[in-house]
DNA sequence: CTGAAACGTTGACATTTGTCAACACGAAAC
DNA sequence: GTTTCGTGTTGACAAATGTCAACGTTTCAG
């Protein structure tokens, strides 16, 4: 599990920092089952997670308690509620596993410490933030103007694996359409 | 014009950095009319802008060349296409003035120089990035599941000044609904 | 293995929203 | 001042999508 993170860091920085083992030991390992909630709306987000294996769903509830999924994170990616993590304000989103997942978690103190002792770690954080931002912008621009069918085609083109890996219900909530519409439109392809 | 930026930086950092005049002189002043394009999709984004006065629209074209507005930036805020600015990849968005505007622009070299000579400037950049990210996340979570009427109510609650300041056409494109729907629903409030 | 619960599909129907067209109005250009 | 163009409103209609209900299938706990 730790090796996946090691490899990820090496890929990001181009080479391994001298004290990579110190970096890795700052993370704690979590083995989670399906459907475990790791962050609840209103709580303070205490960790940034690296997904070594499995899959996470980042979502909110609307006023009728329907879920809307803002993001789906698969292995070798980072997941957190960065705004809450950074500001220590209550989180506006929920996070849960949608598959059994292995996570590596780092808390604020650990994060702070790495920022100071490992100069390049600051760069990793910036990269995570920039990637998250780029992802959000892309999602807004792609989705605000697309029809339901176009959103499905978009998903098949850019994240095809999700189509077979996840439940229809989850995908529909990620695309912002009803389960029934998703089911019907899939037939028309 | 420069004083607005000076004040903004002081507000952000809590106090003025020693060499604030050096910081301010790194920016170039731009006085623009209405409807001037300062970034075109496909070009590399060369500047980060501080809006001293006026208003900018960040938007994309869909395949029928309709505009969708991702963001509207008013005075005392920062505007750029940060992904393109940071990576020097082609921009995916357009930016134009929607009012006569005074801007303070800083290019990559200036930015890089400030990052090195003014330690706190790094913090400002992080703040801009984090604010932009928070804004995007908020927009996704708010809009993906809202109806047209709910989006209008949202705008009236959270950015009420925009309602009177901007054209209906622009607001509709920001809310992701047609001009006609916007016109009709306004009546039902 | 079995029963309950969740999921996926389909039909019928209501609702929302978009599109096209017409027209009044005001702002900008000449 | 006149003309022209863009904007905002409204009507009629079409298209897209949601909701509710029914039913078969799968999943999972016991």
């Amino acid at each position: 599990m730790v090796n996946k993170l090691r490899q990820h860091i090496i890929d990001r920085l181009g080479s391994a920092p001298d004290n990579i083992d110190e970096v890795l030991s700052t993370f704690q390992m979590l083995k989670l089952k399906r459907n475990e909630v790791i962050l609840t709306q209103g709580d303070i987000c205490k960790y940034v997670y690296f997904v070594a294996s499995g899959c996470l769903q980042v979502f909110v509830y609307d006023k009728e308690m329907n879920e809307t999924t803002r993001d789906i994170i698969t292995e070798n990616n980072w997941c957190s509620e960065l705004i809450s993590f950074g500001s220590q304000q209550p989180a506006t989103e929920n996070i849960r596993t949608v598959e059994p997942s292995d996570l590596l978690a780092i808390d604020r103190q650990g994060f702070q410490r790495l920022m100071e002792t490992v100069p390049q770690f600051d760069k990793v954080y910036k990269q995570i933030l920039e990637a998250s931002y780029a992802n959000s912008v892309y999602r807004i621009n792609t989705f605000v103007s697309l029809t339901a069918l176009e959103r499905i085609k978009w998903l098949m083109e850019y994240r095809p694996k999700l189509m077979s890996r996840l439940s229809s219900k989850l995908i529909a909530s990620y695309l912002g359409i009803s389960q029934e519409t998703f089911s019907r439109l899939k037939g028309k392809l």
Side-chain angles (χ1 to χ4, degrees), chain A:
Chain A
M1 184 189 316
V2 172
N3 277 332
K4 290 215 171 189
L5 178 54
R6 184 196 307 270
Q7 193 56 50
H8 175 86
I9 290 174
I10 292 171
D11 291 346
R12 285 280 177 121
L13 295 177
S15 66
D18 298 339
N19 37 13
I20 187 159
D21 288 316
E22 184 195 337
V23 171
L24 294 175
S25 67
T26 309
F27 288 80
Q28 52 178 289
M29 289 171 40
L30 295 174
K31 280 189 165 294
L32 301 179
K33 296 180 200 158
R34 214 169 72 95
N35 267 326
E36 293 204 56
V37 175
I38 59 176
L39 178 67
T40 303
Q41 210 164 343
D43 291 355
I44 310 254
C45 178
K46 296 207 166 74
Y47 301 94
V48 171
Y49 301 96
F50 178 77
V51 183
S53 74
C55 184
L56 301 181
Q57 173 195 16
V58 183
F59 64 102
V60 295
Y61 293 105
D62 67 17
K63 55 185 183 308
E64 285 104 19
M65 291 299 279
N66 299 313
E67 292 177 13
T68 308
T69 301
R70 182 179 64 78
D71 207 357
I72 293 169
I73 316 281
T74 52
E75 51 279 326
N76 293 315
N77 288 291
W78 297 88
C79 182
S80 185
E81 211 278 40
L82 286 179
I83 314 298
S84 172
F85 181 80
S87 68
Q88 295 290 288
Q89 297 299 305
T92 58
E93 305 183 300
N94 307 275
I95 305 177
R96 79 154 73 93
T97 57
V98 294
E99 294 174 359
S101 303
D102 292 342
L103 307 181
L104 290 159
I106 182 170
D107 63 17
R108 257 176 85 83
Q109 284 174 356
F111 212 88
Q112 219 69 48
R113 187 147 40 87
L114 288 189
M115 290 278 226
E116 286 158 16
T117 58
V118 187
Q120 298 121 311
F121 197 77
D122 192 46
K123 207 167 145 190
V124 172
Y125 172 69
K126 222 179 82 180
Q127 283 187 14
I128 296 173
L129 188 58
E130 285 176 340
S132 302
Y133 176 58
N135 186 46
S136 306
V137 168
Y138 193 58
R139 187 155 153 81
I140 295 172
N141 287 333
T142 313
F143 278 43
V144 171
S145 61
L146 294 189
T147 65
L149 187 59
E150 289 168 333
R151 293 177 197 194
I152 296 172
K153 285 179 180 166
W154 174 88
L155 187 67
M156 291 177 66
E157 183 163 355
Y158 293 102
R159 304 191 70 177
K161 287 175 190 164
L162 295 188
M163 289 287 283
S164 46
R165 180 169 178 176
L166 305 176
S167 73
S168 295
K169 193 186 174 189
L170 178 54
I171 294 175
S173 105
Y174 179 60
L175 296 181
I177 60 184
S178 72
Q179 214 183 133
E180 293 94 333
T181 297
F182 179 63
S183 176
R184 278 185 254 266
L185 293 179
K186 257 190 305 184
K188 300 192 180 173
L189 282 176

